[in-house]
Amino acid sequence: MNRFSARTVLSRAQRTGLMVALVLIGIGAILRPMTVLQTVVAIVTVAYGAAIVFRVLLVWAGARGEHLIKVSDADARAVPDADLPVYTVLVPAYREPGVIGLLMSHLGALDYPKDRLEVFLLLEEDDRETIEAASAVASEPHVRILVVPESQPKTKPKACNVGLEQATGEFVTIYDAEDVPDPLQLRRAVVALRRLGASYVCLQAELGYFNVDQNRITKWFALEYATWFRSLLPGLVALRMPIPLGGTSNHFRARELRELGAWDPYNVTEDADLGIRLARSGHRVGVLQSVTLEEANSDFINWIKQRSRWYKGYLMTWLVHLRSPRATIRQLGWRGILCLNLFVGGTPLAALLNAVLWATTILWFLDRPPIMEEIFVPPFYYLGVICLVFGNATVIYLNVLSARTMDRPDLLGTALLSPGYWAMMSLAGAKAAWQLIFNPSYWEKTTHGLHLPPSSPSSKEAADVG
Amino acid sequence: MSVDVRARTTAAVEKQWIAYAVVYLGTALWFWHSGLVPGDSMSRAANAYYTLFSRDPHLAAIGFVWNPLPSLILLPFLPLRGIVPALTQQGLLVVLMSAALMTATVAVLHDVLRRIEVPRTARLVLTGAFALHPMIVVYSGNGMSEACFLLCLMLAVRSLLIWISEGRAETLVPAGLAVGLAYGARYEALAPVAAVPVLVFLTTFRRTPGPRSRRLALARVDAVITALPGVLAVALWALAGKLIVGQWFATFSSRYGNAAQVSANAGDISLVTGDDLATRAGYGLQQMLGLSPMFAVLLAAALVLAWHRRDPRVLAAVTVLGSVLAFDVLAFLSGTSFGWLRFHITVIPLTVLLAGHVITAVRPPVAAAARTGTAVAALALTLVAIPSTLITLNRPDLAREESEWLTADGAARTRDLTRVNRQVAADLDALNLPEGAVLTDAAYAFRIVLASDRPKQFVITPDRDFPAALADPTGNGVRYLLLSARGAADAVRIGRFGPDPATVPTGGARTWSDTAGNLQWTLVPL
């Protein structure tokens, strides 16, 4: 059993610590309510400011020099088939019979010798529809359907672990059922991992969207991903910090992945958690320039569900790795600790706090309650104002810059309207926090196939665990 | 061996800023030691000082009449006054700061010349032509905002030049930030805030291949990336002013602001500069020619050569520095500015950079002799500015401010005012007054507040209880009113005794006058 599993979100020590802290705060709030409020505001403001500074630092570091790993088409094709290792592709899917056909054609487009490719469709025992649909199309010998026996927790990471047990590949990767990977991606990953040497155990390929122009939400989403994969992750690489992996298109050396205990079936962002665990055991992760296109979530409710799961998972990962702080500090070093707190913990917390801070600001302008002047003591008040003004402006500015660097000048308006997206993030953050407390392991399903015309069967039924 | 010599000269060229730092430090110490630190510099220092050491320390005390950057950069160093009181009391900090900023400006200018590939010797001479230009030397040491402003503008020129050469959108970010910062230093930066995005838009639109709609979209994003920091700086400063002092643009609308000062002094200004457009244009031209006689020639030559070689890089300097120059000329011609000589200061780096562009534009296959000839001519046209500025600075009608420090009569007057202000501060300190005992308008009394050992004895205009103290001085613990003799907008004098200075009671009041016998300050007991 993985010591850092999110099976229990809080360890006994953490639970006790939290209780003691809450009791102390409670006592303080009764005796000296203003001091407690002032302290809370001060801590929140400093943390928030630090998260913004960290973000700017990442973009700056990412923009200096080249931190994406590039393998040219020619180099990728140059490797003779005989020199290629066996590659296992795991495709977990749940209740998406309609997407399976498309999946087969996308995977079929992968430029990799079939005799060295091993595709596992990981389907759940109770999902007869998808199993049947898959059996109908998966005719080629290198594609196998693995039925994951019914057991709790029924999550994507558990399915992947089942797949990994049977995998014979030297390298392993994961795709979601609706993914459209760059056909040369596997070859690029092989070349890159061989070039980088044994210290690199994983490569994260860039994720992009094929339905960017569907509506405002997909545009925001695309812009966010562009910033994430082109600026923030390269920034983490540049600063030699842990990389929280994204759900698909991560390419591993299978042996090290097994040694590490693979995915935590209880963590709802097992990918981010794995990124941290890789860093803890001293392995390195690179970002590979090779895009896998995914479906951007175009529906408001569906988006909130997906995002709240991500945020919940980030919070879980953060708590899980703070479990034995001394070991964490020893293994991750100060850079890793910064990343863990400001990036993994910071991303969902900032989304949540945004709403509170905006509400406070609006309240101030509407009513100017004198108590607020008391709560915000001067240095933190100024810091707060700076965060409010420059923090927001900086993030909008970075989005405009992303629109430019991803060569999508038409997304200028979308970038300038980013605050609307933040409001959605805040909602998701609140939902995530709520669920973390009351329903930690619950996996919010994301419906896929929303980009397909409404007559298509998959748009109604398609749902997976990705 | 020649390689060694070359390497050594290169090192000397790269390190020449150290020599200029020494010159500027000397100038700064001279201004400070001679008691000639100008009022505008002291007032910037005072604005920073109030935020930490006044009776009511708060950030908004920095004030909204003057753009805040020259004061903000002083903040981290203010606590050092505990060790060296002269830093704030005698304005030493502010002159040291301008020396440091001007040194940085020289370094950036040198880097720009290097990036446009001006040969080493010419680069050395051109950097010297800027760094040792008398006007630059004076403003390196007098603590005024020019050094800060020039540094921001030169950083903008540098980034814009890099962008024009390399075309990476990321390099527009520092260009935009530098222009935004420049607005933090002086409001004339409104000109590049507007002009630089236009240049970026046109450049991207012209040089991007592909269909018109795509070129337009890319040009628009590039312009927005460049414009946002500047627009944000303008909007935020305006919003902060509106929220805190109730005025969007206090520089223009405040009774202490530029517009009010210009209209209050309109008579004096037109007496020197002339009333009608033609005389005023003549006056401005004389000032500009004084600072850079051959500017127009170099501008024409650089633009023609740039056109001929299809090399748009010269537009970086022309847009950033030229727009500020144009803004000041227009403001002066329309009668909304003082017409100070320093308003033309951007012509100095612009001339130097234009000469640099002229020199690099004449390249092989042009014959070596012709190249040398061009270089010598361009350098001569630049260097002629030094003697002509020396002459201009000695003409009190053209260099009205500068002559108050540089001519014997002017310096005597400035020193005398410094002496009076320090005397007032010393006399007040001797009274051992409690906190908040002296009500005064800091727009005029800033030098006294700075010079005092007991800054908390003053209730000053930025204090949040100033309006209450003015309405009911004794009820708020005020014992004395400190009134300026001639401050056109002295809030305390006007608030208590009306606009006519003659109504100020003299019985029982203590007064201070300058050596010529002109009344400067009145202390009215309550």
Side-chain angles (χ1 to χ4, degrees):
Chain A
M1 178 74 211
N2 174 3
R3 206 151 61 87
F4 298 108
S5 169
R7 182 172 191 168
T8 47
V9 177
L10 292 175
S11 67
R12 188 176 295 167
Q14 279 178 315
R15 209 177 285 264
T16 319
L18 192 65
M19 289 294 181
V20 172
L22 282 177
V23 169
L24 284 180
I25 292 173
I27 295 171
I30 294 164
L31 297 178
R32 304 277 298 275
M34 192 43 80
T35 315
V36 170
L37 271 176
Q38 286 171 341
T39 315
V40 169
V41 165
I43 293 172
V44 164
T45 313
V46 170
Y48 194 82
I52 292 175
V53 171
F54 185 65
R55 199 154 271 247
V56 174
L57 196 69
L58 285 182
V59 174
W60 178 77
R64 289 167 63 92
E66 199 45 73
H67 301 286
L68 283 176
I69 296 158
K70 289 179 180 160
V71 177
S72 70
D73 291 10
D75 287 355
R77 290 203 179 91
V79 186
D81 286 2
D83 285 355
L84 288 170
V86 175
Y87 218 120
T88 305
V89 175
L90 304 177
V91 187
Y94 188 54
R95 298 204 192 286
E96 33 197 343
V99 193
I100 290 291
L102 281 174
L103 169 73
M104 285 299 116
S105 73
H106 295 149
L107 293 183
L110 282 175
D111 181 346
Y112 208 82
K114 301 281 180 273
D115 58 333
R116 287 163 191 275
L117 193 59
E118 179 178 68
V119 177
F120 287 163
L121 297 179
L122 306 169
L123 307 176
E124 299 287 336
E125 199 175 4
D126 62 347
D127 183 14
R128 296 310 313 170
E129 281 173 295
T130 315
I131 295 175
E132 276 160 29
S135 319
V137 290
S139 50
E140 293 187 80
H142 67 280
V143 180
R144 271 177 61 193
I145 296 171
L146 276 189
V147 177
V148 181
E150 181 76 42
S151 74
Q152 287 305 320
K154 197 154 84 188
T155 59
K156 171 176 163 185
K158 191 198 67 180
C160 290
N161 285 341
V162 170
L164 185 66
E165 268 170 35
Q166 313 246 351
T168 59
E170 182 184 336
F171 293 133
V172 181
T173 189
I174 303 180
Y175 291 123
D176 277 349
E178 88 286 4
D179 282 0
V180 189
D182 155 28
L184 283 176
Q185 194 170 94
L186 301 186
R187 281 175 167 272
R188 284 191 225 275
V190 169
V191 173
L193 279 170
R194 284 182 175 169
R195 227 186 250 168
L196 292 166
S199 63
Y200 279 81
V201 164
C202 171
L203 289 179
Q204 168 72 54
E206 240 179 291
L207 303 181
Y209 292 122
F210 52 70
N211 60 331
V212 175
D213 293 320
Q214 198 176 339
N215 59 28
R216 184 68 74 188
I217 296 181
T218 58
K219 286 180 183 176
W220 272 327
F221 213 157
L223 209 49
E224 184 192 17
Y225 256 37
T227 317
W228 188 266
F229 287 99
R230 302 261 170 94
S231 294
L232 300 181
L233 293 194
L236 287 173
V237 172
L239 298 176
R240 288 190 153 235
M241 288 179 171
I243 315 288
L245 302 177
T248 93
S249 312
N250 5 79
H251 301 262
F252 300 94
R253 295 183 195 275
R255 194 165 59 88
E256 283 83 353
L257 182 60
R258 284 198 188 91
E259 282 169 8
L260 208 63
W263 295 275
D264 174 8
Y266 293 94
N267 194 313
V268 295
T269 50
E270 75 295 341
D271 35 25
D273 169 66
L274 185 56
I276 306 290
R277 282 196 286 126
L278 282 165
R280 294 189 73 142
S281 40
H283 296 305
R284 298 186 66 181
V285 178
V287 181
L288 179 69
Q289 194 182 47
S290 165
V291 179
T292 299
L293 292 175
E294 295 191 288
E295 181 195 352
N297 214 324
S298 55
D299 176 74
F300 178 71
I301 300 292
N302 205 29
W303 184 94
I304 294 277
K305 281 184 179 175
Q306 183 186 42
R307 186 51 58 106
S308 69
R309 172 169 68 76
W310 290 356
Y311 282 168
K312 183 170 75 175
Y314 266 51
L315 288 173
M316 272 181 175
T317 306
W318 179 55
L319 290 171
V320 156
H321 288 281
L322 286 181
R323 220 167 253 181
S324 41
R326 246 176 310 174
T328 311
I329 291 170
R330 199 182 58 243
Q331 291 168 339
L332 287 181
W334 64 271
R335 293 160 185 271
I337 293 292
L338 266 186
C339 169
L340 184 63
N341 286 304
L342 295 178
F343 203 70
V344 178
T347 301
L349 288 179
L352 185 59
L353 277 176
N354 254 336
V356 180
L357 295 176
W358 275 104
T360 319
T361 310
I362 292 167
L363 181 70
W364 169 248
F365 277 106
L366 289 181
D367 194 40
R368 304 213 172 192
I371 186 164
M372 277 174 60
E373 269 186 63
E374 226 180 307
I375 296 175
F376 284 83
V377 278
F380 301 106
Y381 165 76
Y382 292 127
L383 188 61
V385 170
I386 290 172
C387 286
L388 172 73
V389 174
F390 292 101
N392 287 305
T394 306
V395 181
I396 293 178
Y397 194 56
L398 292 179
N399 284 342
V400 174
L401 200 59
S402 285
R404 180 66 176 85
T405 48
M406 68 193 274
D407 203 22
R408 286 296 304 264
D410 53 302
L411 295 181
L412 174 64
T414 303
L416 293 173
L417 290 173
S418 311
Y421 196 50
W422 303 341
M424 289 167 57
M425 287 177 166
S426 291
L427 271 179
K431 188 163 158 18
W434 176 265
Q435 269 197 10
L436 182 71
I437 298 167
F438 296 104
N439 204 357
S441 290
Y442 176 68
W443 190 291
E444 287 279 5
K445 280 188 215 91
T446 310
T447 309
H448 287 298
L450 294 173
H451 63 289
L452 298 170
S455 59
S456 153
S458 67
S459 65
K460 282 189 221 95
E461 301 162 38
D464 82 343
V465 289
Chain B
M1 285 321 272
S2 70
V3 175
D4 267 352
V5 173
R6 185 173 286 248
R8 228 176 296 149
T9 352
T10 310
V13 171
E14 306 303 331
K15 293 267 158 55
Q16 58 177 320
W17 63 269
I18 296 175
Y20 301 127
V22 172
V23 174
Y24 297 164
L25 180 66
T27 316
L29 292 175
W30 177 78
F31 265 97
W32 162 69
H33 191 254
S34 320
L36 292 176
V37 182
D40 278 7
S41 313
M42 290 299 269
S43 124
R44 251 60 160 220
N47 286 341
Y49 185 77
Y50 303 149
T51 66
L52 295 179
F53 303 111
S54 67
R55 221 179 97 261
D56 177 20
H58 61 296
L59 190 57
I62 209 156
F64 291 88
V65 174
W66 307 117
N67 294 24
L69 189 62
S71 299
L72 282 175
I73 47 175
L74 298 176
L75 278 181
F77 305 98
L78 284 179
L80 294 176
R81 93 194 220 286
I83 308 165
V84 187
L87 282 178
T88 52
Q89 292 195 328
Q90 302 173 5
L92 178 58
L93 176 61
V94 71
V95 295
L96 291 179
M97 183 57 82
S98 69
L101 294 173
M102 198 62 97
T103 309
T105 311
V106 173
V108 178
L109 178 114
H110 180 258
D111 185 60
V112 170
L113 291 172
R114 192 180 56 79
R115 284 175 187 277
I116 57 176
E117 290 146 36
V118 178
R120 218 176 44 247
T121 315
R123 205 161 76 212
L124 189 72
V125 176
L126 283 178
T127 310
F130 171 77
L132 297 177
H133 188 289
M135 190 72 175
I136 296 299
V137 175
V138 168
Y139 282 86
S140 74
N142 69 3
M144 291 182 63
S145 56
E146 267 66 19
C148 183
F149 188 43
L150 283 181
L151 176 59
C152 296
L153 293 177
M154 281 311 303
L155 286 171
V157 171
R158 178 177 176 274
S159 308
L160 203 53
L161 181 82
I162 294 175
W163 176 74
I164 294 178
S165 318
E166 298 179 5
R168 288 188 307 122
E170 291 91 334
T171 53
L172 285 172
V173 175
L177 290 177
V179 173
L181 269 186
Y183 184 75
R186 296 175 65 99
Y187 73 85
E188 287 101 312
L190 280 172
V193 164
V196 173
V198 172
L199 172 73
V200 168
F201 182 91
L202 294 175
T203 308
T204 302
F205 186 71
R206 277 189 59 96
R207 73 180 177 189
T208 311
R212 196 185 140 80
S213 61
R214 180 178 150 77
R215 290 159 61 204
L216 210 58
L218 283 172
R220 208 173 48 197
V221 180
D222 283 352
V224 168
I225 291 172
T226 323
L228 271 182
V231 170
L232 188 73
V234 175
L236 282 182
W237 185 237
L239 184 68
K242 178 67 186 167
L243 290 178
I244 295 166
V245 295
Q247 289 171 323
W248 290 108
F249 290 98
T251 307
F252 304 107
S253 54
S254 159
R255 63 177 187 281
Y256 304 111
N258 203 58
Q261 284 194 31
V262 170
S263 67
N265 295 295
D268 296 344
I269 298 174
S270 60
L271 214 59
V272 191
T273 65
D275 244 341
D276 56 311
L277 198 63
T279 16
R280 222 182 255 159
Y283 180 85
L285 193 64
Q286 248 185 311
Q287 288 182 316
M288 184 112 69
L289 287 176
L291 292 182
S292 180
M294 294 298 152
F295 165 65
V297 178
L298 284 167
L299 177 67
L303 289 179
V304 168
L305 285 168
W307 180 259
H308 182 68
R309 303 194 65 102
R310 297 286 181 274
D311 179 357
R313 291 183 302 168
V314 70
L315 293 177
V318 169
T319 308
V320 175
L321 298 165
S323 66
V324 175
L325 198 58
F327 182 95
D328 277 320
V329 168
L330 287 177
F332 178 58
L333 291 182
S334 64
T336 50
S337 109
F338 277 96
W340 301 128
L341 184 62
R342 62 186 163 98
F343 289 169
H344 304 287
I345 200 166
T346 48
V347 81
I348 300 165
L350 185 52
T351 303
V352 168
L353 293 178
L354 289 172
H357 279 288
V358 168
I359 292 171
T360 46
V362 182
R363 277 183 293 209
V366 177
R371 292 203 312 266
T372 315
T374 313
V376 169
L379 294 179
L381 291 177
T382 315
L383 288 169
V384 70
I386 291 181
S388 89
T389 304
L390 284 175
I391 296 167
T392 310
L393 285 174
N394 274 302
R395 284 186 53 183
D397 58 329
L398 291 179
R400 285 170 291 151
E401 286 180 299
E402 294 76 9
S403 64
E404 289 297 304
W405 321 313
L406 302 176
T407 64
D409 290 354
R413 277 193 296 273
T414 309
R415 249 193 296 269
D416 195 31
L417 282 181
T418 306
R419 182 193 57 77
V420 173
N421 285 311
R422 287 185 190 164
Q423 191 60 51
V424 177
D427 292 346
L428 284 174
D429 289 350
L431 293 176
N432 264 325
L433 295 168
E435 274 195 20
V438 181
L439 182 65
T440 190
D441 187 333
Y444 303 97
F446 55 88
R447 277 181 278 220
I448 297 173
V449 179
L450 271 181
S452 167
D453 290 331
R454 305 162 59 84
K456 291 190 197 302
Q457 67 185 309
F458 300 101
V459 180
I460 50 175
T461 18
D463 290 349
R464 281 166 288 195
D465 57 358
F466 178 83
L470 183 62
D472 176 17
T474 41
N476 283 279
V478 174
R479 295 203 211 158
Y480 295 95
L481 307 177
L482 180 63
L483 310 174
S484 69
R486 268 159 303 166
D490 187 325
V492 179
R493 198 188 69 228
I494 294 170
R496 302 303 301 177
F497 304 106
D500 183 7
T503 57
V504 174
T506 44
R510 182 165 182 182
T511 58
W512 291 266
S513 299
D514 59 19
T515 323
N518 299 315
L519 177 68
Q520 294 293 337
W521 292 100
T522 310
L523 185 71
V524 180
L526 296 173

